[in-house]
Amino acid sequence: MATGSDRDWSAERDLFVAAEQRGGPAEDALADTGPLAREFAALTGALLASGSVASVLARVVAAVRRVVPGAEMVSVTLRDDDGRFHTPVETAPAASSIDEAQYDSGRGPCVEAARADGPALAFSDDLGAETRWPEFARASVGHGFHSVLAVSLVPDAEPPRLPGALNVYAAAPGAFTADDRDRLVLLSTHASLALATCVAVSNAGLQETQLRQAIASRDVIGQAKGILMARRGLTAEEAFDVLRRTSQDLNVKLVELAGTVTANPTALDTD
């Protein structure tokens, strides 16, 4: 049976969709909606303005507490490059303990939602009677939480797209409604896009740095080759071979040796 808050959420959602379909500006669409839609709009701007993964996750966790009324504890599950799960953000220490139980056993709603081949959403209304994830259920109930809701989080824009999950807990059984699931799915979508943007920007910056380093390395090696060609009457290929052979003999990186030659043109005169 729908509660008052459920009906409010459904009404807001219908108004928001209808306003967007009219093709007006986002501000016009939001004018017809309530605080929930405006919360999501504000969150979108805040997430896109976040400069780091940690900042995005902190904002998302704070937003969960505001838009999912039954959320008493929130955590985020992410996967490392080696495939292992970890909990980088939580609102209470119990979350890490509970999450760790499912990471160790490989069974639990957060693990299921975070698997690339798993469901986008996993939940339980009564962990005291849950048989799918016994280790997780035992740990959760032991900390006083009987309801859980986890939705997929995809922080990577490119393969291997290592997934994660956004997780909420509540003490009472049956704490989360269907509309709560809708809200969390929307939040995870916002968070996934923001995280992917952060990662893409970070990768772009790293690639730019690496490209600049590669260009600088090429330039200094070219300068060193030119010095050897002039001093020894070598061809470009012969000069590079001298640099490469000397680099190996001295166990020094080629670019470092080239830097030494450009700084001191007589450095290899005894070679």
Side-chain angles (χ1 to χ4, degrees):
M1 182 174 184
T3 65
S5 60
D6 293 339
R7 287 191 295 271
D8 291 344
W9 157 246
S10 298
E12 282 191 24
R13 179 177 54 191
D14 293 342
L15 282 170
F16 186 64
V17 170
E20 284 191 321
Q21 289 175 342
R22 291 200 297 269
E27 291 80 2
D28 293 344
L30 289 174
D32 290 333
T33 65
L36 183 60
R38 289 194 291 272
E39 173 70 37
F40 274 104
L43 176 63
T44 299
L47 288 179
L48 293 177
S50 297
S52 67
V53 170
S55 178
V56 168
L57 294 178
R59 289 180 183 274
V60 169
V61 167
V64 172
R65 301 293 295 272
R66 292 194 297 269
V67 304
V68 181
E72 298 177 30
M73 183 171 69
V74 185
S75 72
V76 172
T77 293
L78 291 181
R79 291 186 70 179
D80 296 322
D81 290 340
D82 61 6
R84 291 184 297 179
F85 293 108
H86 68 286
T87 301
V89 178
E90 61 187 15
T91 61
S96 287
S97 177
I98 296 171
D99 290 348
E100 197 66 36
Q102 60 185 318
Y103 302 159
D104 291 341
S105 67
R107 297 188 290 187
C110 313
V111 169
E112 285 194 10
R115 286 204 326 262
D117 61 344
L121 182 149
F123 65 94
S124 177
D125 288 329
D126 187 1
L127 289 169
E130 185 59 66
T131 59
R132 290 172 294 173
W133 320 303
E135 299 87 357
F136 166 79
R138 188 161 48 249
S140 187
V141 171
H143 284 279
F145 295 96
H146 292 78
S147 292
V148 64
L149 174 58
V151 297
S152 183
L153 191 64
V154 185
D156 296 334
E158 301 293 337
R161 294 175 62 84
L162 296 173
L166 183 56
N167 321 305
V168 295
Y169 296 88
F176 302 118
T177 67
D179 284 333
D180 287 332
R181 297 170 206 163
D182 283 350
R183 297 173 191 182
L184 201 62
V185 168
L186 283 173
L187 276 171
S188 71
T189 301
H190 281 65
S192 294
L193 290 172
L195 286 171
T197 299
C198 277
V199 172
V201 169
S202 297
N203 287 342
L206 177 61
Q207 290 170 0
E208 182 180 358
T209 299
Q210 291 172 335
L211 178 60
R212 288 178 178 175
Q213 291 173 341
I215 292 173
S217 297
R218 183 190 65 188
D219 288 347
V220 74
I221 291 172
Q223 292 170 20
K225 284 169 53 180
I227 290 170
L228 291 178
M229 290 167 64
R231 295 184 66 81
R232 299 191 182 188
L234 303 175
T235 65
E237 184 176 350
E238 289 170 341
F240 182 77
D241 188 59
V242 169
L243 288 171
R244 180 186 55 78
R245 187 176 65 250
T246 305
S247 169
Q248 294 173 343
D249 291 344
L250 298 178
N251 194 27
V252 176
K253 291 182 179 179
L254 181 61
V255 67
E256 293 178 0
L257 178 64
T260 299
V261 172
T262 57
N264 179 13
T266 64
L268 300 187
D269 278 0
T270 57
D271 184 79

